[in-house]
């Protein structure tokens, strides 16, 4: 009966989510009640799920339970193992933080929008995520997956009176269905081979798959999950959909819904498809590098705060895929220990990114909430009216840039170490790929730092650039608590990584059959190492402590001197023209100008300047400036694809003449054809 | 534990003493080579003491970011200095952060410095921040490739392990991969320390400045901390170059005699590198900003060639 509480907490959590969904819908006429229900029950459900997840990770064997449905190939079968527990934990942490945040965030909807319906979709999203992560049957998984896509669609188009929002929602729902289609085909292929749709049966049948079948299944699943995860070139829905959704939903979408794609990859590639050939791992690695570098490069060009964050999601998914790809390669070349380290790097980065991206989106939400704009060029100086939000956003920015001693650094460090180990573990020219990928990770990290200097610096520092940011107010308390919780998580996961390694042991033991946690910790439990005799070591705890120890005498010395010498405030240097105003400040566009020129081959920037002048062109009265970059993927890849589909649909019209006789004839012909097919068997 | 603290203390003192000296030596040598008299080598110490005695002017527009940045710049550079072998192969804090931590801690300092540049609201600050982040971003992959080449040879990213491996094969620097990696890292050193042809440390209030533009609004003790941080960072990068590629004279233990010998040889090596830097600075003109990526692309190619040649030879 040791396993009893997991199932209890889990089902109770599911029950709370479902009850919350119905209760919200029922109370749609009472906005205040609906708002409290929406956040309260979701918070309670998330806490229950967190408990279940922690128990699920820390226990040894997976807990399974199944209810037969009577439908062939389908059954309500759940398996609560370490991997499911890990992703459920991430989703519960985010669900809790977002629910706390939403208590006051949703206030502005009162009387204007249907909070009851919002709460219904919100609960449904959390419920479907939990089902998708724990389903042990392919079709149950797909139901969870589909409900998740539809609930997310409903939430993305919550501001549906906006044309941009509707278009983004449409794009999202189309991509989500292409994705489900791929998965359906993949599962059909696997269940045909195994005769059942249970994940457990795939595992046993994997050995009998032919090379071609395995490759086909891999490609289908990789495609399907990549679309969900927003991997380049299937990312186009992500920067469209995330910014237009309400900010608490953007936080969940980028934080955990996108990670469902990563969950699927880990589940299928490591658990259901058998040992994949080396090219599969290399493909995942290369796609990861491309996503990481291109994602951050596109992020740099954005001055819409939320769209910038959305592009960073693409970048971080790329970093996660790098870890996954290396893990797949290690697994096939027979280095399970190294594979475990790489897998830890990938899933730890998944958790980290979930936390800091959720934090950053919530921060952006607070900014949008009070200023009403997402355009960084109209913001500025928010650190004074919104000190707590600014601090939380800064911590998130440092973490996402992979800077020590926060959590982003730890997972990127592990990814680097895995890539370096890849050089030693493989042979032939392919080994060069790993250090090159490492240098691209370095480029990504440095560009991300540049981008977040821009995002934080332009939004929160210097002088306000518009009326909206001049009247900004600090976010209400519950929003601050939501962000503060995630901020603390970034710091704790960074400094205390060595405490949390046992969590990953359970996952690697389940998927790869090895536990490396003990090897990774050395030096009195303070130091993280690569597990190999020399390898590399790092200790975020000592780095944090060291920085503190060095800061104290410097602060003491300088403040002592400052007191003795005195200091005064004065205007910043304005080149002798009196009155430094916000018009003198650097803008987000100007900040990224250097990189726009350096990578102009990618961006194909276009700009237009028109000056209006009376006497001399050197004294313009007004200047009109316009600048844009080419949306390469939309134009070069999806444009022709769309044309092709439209062309094909117009051709299809030929057989759809609208005549009932013709349709009857089609039905008759189909029937005869099917009869012939069946009788010949 | 106490041993580590003592070692850290010794190396800290060494860092704080040598960093301004090297900066002074470079300035003096440069002046001599350009037939100027120039300041003597101890001028940086005098600058520091003078700045410490001055009052500060803080811009009205600045927030607390402006005030914490000098401390962070100083603390990150100094902490990095304790992770790197200077006179003995085992650096005091080598166990707690290898070369990746070094690169990322320096990036942390730069992150805050760039924020402080934007914080003042003056367009110079933003200009400096933008350029600094751009150039460092494109320098990063070249730096990492060169570092990886050395790390893969030593089988470790720990700097003490890397130095140990280099000591055991002290003629290794003649291998093509090491020479190429050295060249790549040298270009990165020039870019990261803001030297001609990438940036000019001597410039002030010019449109071409990068580092100076970011710290334009700093004065008094804050400026002293930032300058000291920048000198320590320069020393760290130079040390990385001389001790991983030319590990001669590194003491294998922390005895007084060993350290004394190590220090003499170390200063000699630094002097050699400083002469080389001065030669480069004096014989080149500053590049246009948008030519700098080409230079760094060359460094990246050198790094990639270094990597490939470890594979070939």
């Amino acid at each position: 009966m040791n396993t009893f509480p997991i199932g209890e907490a889990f089902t109770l959590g599911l029950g709370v989510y479902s009850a919350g969904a119905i209760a919200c819908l029922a109370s749609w006429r009472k906005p205040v009640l609906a708002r409290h229900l929406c956040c309260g029950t979701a918070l309670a459900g998330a806490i229950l799920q967190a408990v279940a997840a922690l128990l699920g990770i820390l226990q040894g064997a997976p807990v399974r339970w199944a209810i037969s449905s009577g439908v062939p190939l389908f059954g309500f079968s759940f398996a609560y193992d370490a991997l499911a527990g890990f992703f459920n934990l991430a989703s519960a942490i985010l669900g809790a933080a977002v629910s706390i945040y939403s208590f006051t965030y949703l206030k502005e909807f009162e009387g204007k929008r249907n909070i009851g319906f919002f709460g219904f979709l919100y609960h449904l999203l959390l419920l479907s995520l939990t089902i998708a992560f724990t389903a042990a049957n392919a079709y149950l998984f797909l139901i969870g997956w589909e409900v998740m896509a539809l609930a997310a669609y409903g939430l993305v188009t919550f501001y549906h009176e906006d044309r941009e929002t509707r278009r983004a929602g449409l794009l999202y729902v189309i991509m989500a269905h292409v994705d489900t289609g791929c998965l359906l085909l993949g599962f059909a292929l696997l269940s045909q081979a195994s005769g059942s749709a249970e994940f457990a049966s795939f595992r046993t049948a994997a050995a009998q798959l032919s090379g071609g079948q395995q490759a086909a299944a891999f490609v289908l699943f990789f495609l399907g999950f990549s679309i969900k995860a927003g991997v380049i070139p299937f990312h186009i829905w992500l920067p469209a959909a995330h910014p237009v959704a309400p900010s608490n939903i953007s936080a969940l979408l980028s934080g955990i819904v996108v990670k469902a794609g990563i969950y699927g990859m880990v589940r299928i590639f490591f658990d259901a498809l058998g040992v994949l050939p080396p090219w599969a791992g290399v493909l995942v690695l290369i796609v990861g590098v491309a996503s990481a570098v291109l994602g951050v490069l596109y992020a740099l060009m954005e001055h819409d705060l939320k769209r910038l964050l959305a592009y960073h999601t693409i970048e971080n998914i790329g970093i996660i895929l790098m870890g996954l790809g290396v893990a797949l390669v290690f697994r096939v070349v027979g280095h399970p220990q190294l594979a475990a380290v790489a897998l830890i790097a990938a899933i730890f980065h998944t958790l980290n990114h979930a936390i800091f991206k959720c934090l950053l989106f919530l921060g952006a939400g607070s900014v949008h909430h009070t200023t009403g704009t997402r355009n960084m060029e109209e913001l500025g100086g928010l650190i004074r009216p919104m000190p707590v939000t600014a601090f939380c956003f800064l911590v998130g920015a440092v973490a996402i840039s992979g800077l020590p001693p926060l959590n982003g650094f730890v997972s990127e460090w592990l990814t680097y170490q895995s890539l370096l180990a890849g050089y030693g573990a493989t042979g032939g020219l392919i080994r060069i790929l790993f250090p090159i990928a490492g240098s691209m990770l370095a480029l990504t990290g440095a560009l991300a730092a540049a981008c977040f200097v821009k995002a934080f610096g332009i939004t929160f520092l210097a002088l306000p650039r518009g009326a909206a940011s001049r009247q900004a107010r600090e976010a209400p308390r519950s929003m601050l608590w939501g962000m503060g919780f995630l901020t603390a998580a970034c710091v704790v996961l960074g400094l205390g990584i060595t405490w949390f390694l046992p969590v990953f042991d359970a996952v690697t033991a389940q998927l790869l059959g090895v536990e490396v946690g003990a090897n990774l910790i050395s030096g009195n439990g303070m130091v993280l190492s690569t597990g190999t005799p020399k390898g590399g070591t790092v200790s975020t705890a000592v780095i944090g402590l060291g920085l503190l120890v060095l800061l104290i005498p410097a602060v003491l010395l300088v403040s002592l001197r400052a007191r003795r010498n005195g200091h005064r405030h004065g205007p910043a240097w304005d080149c002798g023209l009196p009155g430094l105003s916000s018009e003198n400040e650097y803008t987000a566009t100007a900040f990224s100008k250097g990189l726009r020129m350096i990578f102009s081959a990618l961006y194909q920037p276009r700009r237009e300047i028109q000056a209006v002048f009376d006497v001399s062109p050197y004294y313009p009265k007004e200047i009109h400036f316009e600048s844009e970059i080419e949306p390469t993927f939309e134009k070069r890849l999806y444009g022709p694809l769309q044309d092709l589909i439209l062309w094909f649909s117009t051709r299809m019209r030929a057989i759809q003449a609208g005549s009932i006789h013709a349709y009857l004839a089609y039905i008759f012909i189909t029937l005869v054809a099917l009869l012939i097919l069946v009788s010949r068997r | 534990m106490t041993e580590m603290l003592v070692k850290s203390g010794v190396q800290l003192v060494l860092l704080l003493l040598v960093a301004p000296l090297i900066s002074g030596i470079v300035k003096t040598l440069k002046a001599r080579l350009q037939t100027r008299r120039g300041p003597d080598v101890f001028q940086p110490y005098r600058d520091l003491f003078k700045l410490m005695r001055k009052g500060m002017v803080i811009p009205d527009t600045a927030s607390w970011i402006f005030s914490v940045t000098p401390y962070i710049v100083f603390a990150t550079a100094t902490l990095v200095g304790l992770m790197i072998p200077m006179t003995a192969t085992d650096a005091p804090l080598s166990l707690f952060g290898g070369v990746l931590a070094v690169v990322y801690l320096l990036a942390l300092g730069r992150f805050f410095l760039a924020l402080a540049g934007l914080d003042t609201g003056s367009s110079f600050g933003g200009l400096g921040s933008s350029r600094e982040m751009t150039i460092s971003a494109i320098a990063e992959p070249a730096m990492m490739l060169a570092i990886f080449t050395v790390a893969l040879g030593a089988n470790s990213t720990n700097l003490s392990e890397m130095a140990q491996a280099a000591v055991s094969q002290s003629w290794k620097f003649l291998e093509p991969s090491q020479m190429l990696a050295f060249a790549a890292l040298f270009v990165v050193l020039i870019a990261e320390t803001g030297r001609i042809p990438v940036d000019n440390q001597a410039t002030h209030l010019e449109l071409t400045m990068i580092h100076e533009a970011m710290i334009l609004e700093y004065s008094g003790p804050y400026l002293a901390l930032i300058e000291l941080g920048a000198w320590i960072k320069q020393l760290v990068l130079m040390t990385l170059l001389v001790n991983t590629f030319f590990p001669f004279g590194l003491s294998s233990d922390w005895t007084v005699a060993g350290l004394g010998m190590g220090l003499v040889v170390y200063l000699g090596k630094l002097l050699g590198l400083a002469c080389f830097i001065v030669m480069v600075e004096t014989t080149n003109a500053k590049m246009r900003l948008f030519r700098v990526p080409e230079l760094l692309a060359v460094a990246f190619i050198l790094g990639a060639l270094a990597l490939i040649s470890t594979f070939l030879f």
Side-chain angles (χ1 to χ4, degrees):
Chain A
M1 290 309 279
N2 187 26
T3 55
F4 184 65
I6 304 174
E8 285 285 280
F10 172 73
T11 17
L12 198 60
L14 288 190
V16 170
Y17 281 153
S18 322
I22 294 163
C24 283
L25 206 54
S27 63
W28 68 277
R29 281 175 183 281
K30 302 191 180 72
V32 180
L33 177 67
R35 176 165 64 87
H36 284 95
L37 272 177
C38 171
C39 306
T41 48
L43 180 60
I47 291 171
L48 282 167
Q49 289 301 346
V51 171
L54 280 174
L55 289 171
I57 293 167
L58 295 177
Q59 53 133 10
V63 187
R64 299 172 191 286
W65 62 97
I67 306 162
S68 164
S69 65
V71 181
L73 290 180
F74 180 75
F76 294 97
S77 59
F78 293 93
Y80 215 105
D81 51 19
L83 182 64
F86 182 80
F87 277 86
N88 265 329
L89 182 65
S91 117
I93 292 174
L94 263 53
V98 171
S99 299
I100 297 172
Y101 180 89
S102 303
F103 266 111
T104 38
Y105 182 77
L106 292 181
K107 230 178 201 166
E108 64 169 334
F109 289 176
E110 270 175 19
K112 291 183 206 147
R113 291 172 185 280
N114 189 341
I115 298 183
F117 188 58
F118 180 90
F120 171 70
L121 291 173
Y122 179 64
H123 280 88
L124 213 56
L125 184 67
L126 290 173
L127 180 73
S128 58
L129 275 166
T130 316
I131 290 178
F133 292 152
T134 42
N137 176 293
Y139 293 97
L140 181 64
F141 174 81
L142 283 176
I143 288 174
W145 194 261
E146 190 58 23
V147 171
M148 177 169 76
L150 292 178
Y153 169 73
L155 291 165
V156 164
T157 53
F158 200 64
Y159 298 120
H160 54 79
E161 55 297 310
D162 231 347
R163 199 177 126 78
E164 188 201 354
T165 308
R166 288 199 304 271
R167 282 185 66 93
L170 184 65
L171 183 61
Y172 169 62
V173 88
I174 290 173
M175 294 298 274
H177 283 90
V178 174
D179 143 34
T180 313
C182 290
L183 297 186
L184 197 61
L185 285 177
F187 281 127
L189 207 143
L190 287 185
S191 59
Q192 201 195 11
S194 73
S196 157
E198 296 292 309
F199 282 168
S201 75
F202 297 159
R203 213 166 296 149
T204 45
Q208 287 120 43
L209 285 178
S210 73
Q213 275 177 318
Q214 196 192 28
F218 168 75
V219 169
L220 282 171
F221 281 116
F222 189 40
L223 204 62
F225 291 129
S226 296
I227 294 174
K228 178 60 79 183
V231 171
I232 282 179
F234 313 115
H235 65 287
I236 55 158
W237 66 270
L238 203 151
H242 286 202
V244 297
S247 298
N248 49 354
I249 296 307
S250 316
L252 270 191
L253 284 181
S254 247
I256 192 74
V257 175
V258 161
K259 304 301 186 316
I262 299 296
Y263 165 78
M265 286 187 205
V266 176
R267 174 67 79 197
I268 300 293
F269 296 168
F270 286 89
D271 209 14
L273 280 183
V275 177
L276 289 163
W279 63 263
V282 171
L283 180 70
V284 173
L285 174 64
I286 291 173
V287 169
V289 170
S291 272
V293 174
L294 291 177
V296 71
L297 281 174
Y298 281 118
L300 273 159
M301 293 304 119
E302 282 302 331
H303 41 81
D304 176 325
L305 191 53
K306 282 174 73 177
R307 192 170 300 154
L308 177 144
L309 293 175
Y311 272 115
H312 274 287
T313 300
I314 298 170
E315 171 224 327
N316 278 280
I317 292 288
I319 297 176
I320 296 167
L321 286 195
M322 286 160 96
L324 276 187
V326 184
L328 284 172
V329 172
F330 282 143
R331 184 160 167 251
V332 62
V333 299
H335 286 286
Q337 303 275 341
L338 295 175
V341 177
L343 187 63
I344 290 177
I347 62 173
F348 187 40
H349 199 69
T350 308
L351 176 67
N352 289 339
H353 178 251
I355 290 173
F356 49 63
K357 184 50 65 68
C358 186
L359 168 62
L360 290 166
F361 261 117
L362 294 183
S366 301
V367 169
H368 185 217
H369 187 81
T370 176
T371 61
T373 178
R374 305 193 306 251
N375 186 355
M376 285 157 56
E377 311 290 27
E378 293 171 26
L379 297 168
L382 294 180
I383 196 168
R384 270 172 289 273
M386 313 176 74
V388 183
T389 307
F391 179 77
C392 293
F393 197 92
L394 179 64
V395 171
V398 171
I400 199 175
S401 307
L403 298 174
L406 300 183
N407 56 353
F409 171 71
V410 180
S411 43
E412 284 195 20
W413 187 85
L414 283 168
T415 311
Y416 273 118
Q417 294 292 354
S418 308
L419 286 168
L420 286 180
Y423 182 83
T426 50
L429 208 58
I430 198 81
R431 67 200 309 201
I432 296 291
L433 192 64
F434 296 99
I436 300 272
S439 71
M440 289 298 113
L441 180 57
L443 177 67
T444 308
L447 288 174
C451 195
F452 275 95
V453 165
K454 172 178 116 171
F456 182 80
I458 303 289
T459 310
F460 287 97
L461 299 180
L463 296 167
R465 291 180 178 75
S469 44
R470 245 168 251 129
Q471 287 146 14
R473 292 271 167 280
E474 180 60 288
R477 197 159 296 165
S478 98
M479 286 163 72
L480 299 182
W481 276 111
M483 288 188 282
F485 173 58
L486 295 170
T487 309
C490 281
V491 177
V492 170
L493 279 177
L495 293 176
I497 169 62
T498 46
W499 300 338
F500 299 106
L501 275 172
V503 173
F504 303 106
D505 264 353
V507 180
T508 58
Q510 181 204 332
L511 297 174
L512 297 162
V514 288
E515 293 191 359
V516 292
N519 295 351
L520 291 185
I521 304 172
S522 59
N524 297 332
M526 297 270 274
V527 179
L528 185 67
S529 75
T530 48
T532 43
K534 287 200 285 182
T537 50
V538 77
S539 170
T540 39
V542 173
I543 288 177
L545 194 70
L547 287 178
L548 208 62
V549 167
L550 289 167
L551 277 177
I552 291 167
V555 172
L556 283 180
L557 179 69
V558 169
S559 47
L560 202 72
R561 296 303 324 179
R563 182 172 298 172
R564 186 167 302 167
N565 310 342
H567 67 91
R568 60 191 170 84
H569 289 267
W573 170 239
D574 48 17
C575 297
L577 298 167
L580 187 73
S581 78
S582 61
E583 284 168 12
N584 301 93
E585 280 170 19
Y586 239 52
T587 59
T589 313
F591 190 88
S592 46
K593 165 103 192 218
L595 287 161
R596 188 162 61 242
M597 287 185 68
I598 292 168
F599 293 98
S600 60
L602 170 73
Y603 297 130
Q604 304 286 339
R606 183 190 70 79
R607 64 175 191 163
E608 210 171 279
I609 303 174
Q610 285 174 336
V612 180
F613 54 87
D614 287 337
V615 191
S616 151
Y618 297 110
Y619 297 99
K621 278 204 304 191
E622 54 186 66
I623 297 177
H624 173 83
F625 176 81
E626 210 179 284
S627 154
E628 73 174 0
I629 62 163
E630 184 189 272
T632 311
F633 287 96
E634 283 82 343
K635 196 169 146 190
R636 299 272 155 98
L637 182 65
Y638 288 91
L641 191 68
Q642 193 184 353
D643 293 344
L644 187 74
I645 292 172
L646 284 178
W647 175 83
F648 189 69
S649 332
T650 36
R651 287 296 134 109
M652 286 293 281
R653 221 184 272 162
I655 60 164
Q656 289 186 323
S659 144
I660 198 133
H661 303 293
Y663 290 142
L664 284 174
Y666 296 154
I667 293 172
F668 182 69
I669 293 166
T670 314
L671 192 66
V672 171
L674 282 174
L675 280 174
I676 293 170
L677 202 72
V678 170
S679 62
R680 282 185 61 184
R681 266 202 165 165
Chain B
M1 183 70 189
T2 24
E3 195 194 332
M4 192 192 82
L5 285 180
V6 171
K7 285 180 185 174
S8 304
V10 171
Q11 184 141 338
L12 185 64
V13 171
L14 213 57
L15 267 179
L16 295 178
L17 286 180
V18 176
L21 182 67
I22 290 297
S23 181
I25 288 175
V26 172
K27 268 186 197 141
T28 313
L29 281 177
K30 209 166 123 184
R32 289 294 148 82
L33 206 60
Q34 295 166 354
T35 61
R36 290 185 284 120
R37 259 181 71 205
D40 74 17
V41 293
F42 300 108
Q43 190 57 39
Y45 299 102
R46 288 185 207 115
D47 290 347
L48 274 188
F49 284 115
K50 183 152 194 181
L51 284 172
M52 274 295 179
R53 285 204 305 273
K54 291 264 185 190
M56 286 194 284
V57 184
I58 295 170
D60 298 324
T61 39
S63 67
W64 57 268
I65 297 282
F66 183 84
S67 312
V68 299
T69 297
Y71 302 118
I72 293 181
V73 169
F74 169 75
T76 49
T78 315
L79 187 63
V80 160
L82 299 180
M83 292 173 176
I84 200 159
M86 286 172 74
T87 53
T89 42
D90 64 325
L93 299 184
S94 170
L95 180 66
F96 305 113
V99 72
L100 294 170
V102 166
V103 172
Y104 274 81
L105 272 171
L106 291 178
L108 179 67
R110 178 165 55 231
F111 185 88
F112 273 90
L113 203 53
L115 283 183
L118 283 171
D119 197 19
T120 59
S122 111
S123 26
F124 279 116
L127 178 144
S129 308
S130 160
R131 290 176 181 176
E132 174 87 1
M133 294 314 282
T134 303
I135 287 178
S136 70
I138 45 178
E140 203 94 329
M143 184 173 185
M144 280 296 186
L145 267 188
I147 286 173
F148 286 166
T149 308
V150 185
L152 288 171
N155 236 330
S156 175
T157 52
N158 262 22
L159 285 158
S160 289
E161 297 278 356
M162 281 161 77
Q164 196 77 55
V167 168
S168 62
Q169 313 161 277
S170 48
W171 294 102
K172 202 177 179 202
F173 69 87
L174 287 176
E175 283 180 17
S177 68
Q178 301 288 308
M179 288 160 89
L180 288 164
F182 179 84
L185 264 187
F186 183 77
V187 176
V188 172
L189 169 81
I190 295 284
E192 288 275 328
T193 52
R195 297 205 166 272
I196 294 174
V198 176
D199 187 10
N200 186 358
Q201 287 191 343
T203 179
H204 209 67
L205 265 187
E206 278 179 35
L207 285 175
T208 55
M209 60 188 172
I210 301 176
H211 183 80
E212 290 295 318
M214 276 194 297
I215 62 171
L216 196 61
E217 292 297 328
Y218 278 107
S219 52
Y222 279 168
L223 184 60
L225 271 186
I226 286 186
E227 292 281 14
L228 187 58
W231 293 333
I232 293 176
K233 178 184 166 187
Q234 166 177 292
L235 179 66
V236 162
L237 290 173
M238 287 172 74
T239 309
L240 188 69
L241 233 69
V242 295
N243 278 354
T244 42
F245 291 97
F246 309 104
F248 323 110
L250 273 179
S251 159
S252 55
D253 48 27
W254 279 75
T255 55
V256 176
L259 285 186
M261 263 313 287
L263 185 61
V264 172
V265 179
Y266 171 63
L267 288 177
K269 286 190 287 189
L270 284 179
L271 192 63
L273 186 61
C275 290
F276 195 43
I277 291 173
V278 168
M279 292 284 284
V280 170
E281 278 211 279
T282 311
T283 52
N284 281 284
K286 199 187 155 310
M287 278 182 168
R288 274 183 62 212
L289 187 67
F290 288 103
R291 297 294 298 276
V292 172
E294 291 165 22
L295 179 71
L296 291 168
V298 169
F300 181 77
I301 301 288
L302 286 172
L305 286 177
L307 192 69
I308 291 168
S309 50
T310 47
F311 179 69
L312 294 178
F313 299 103

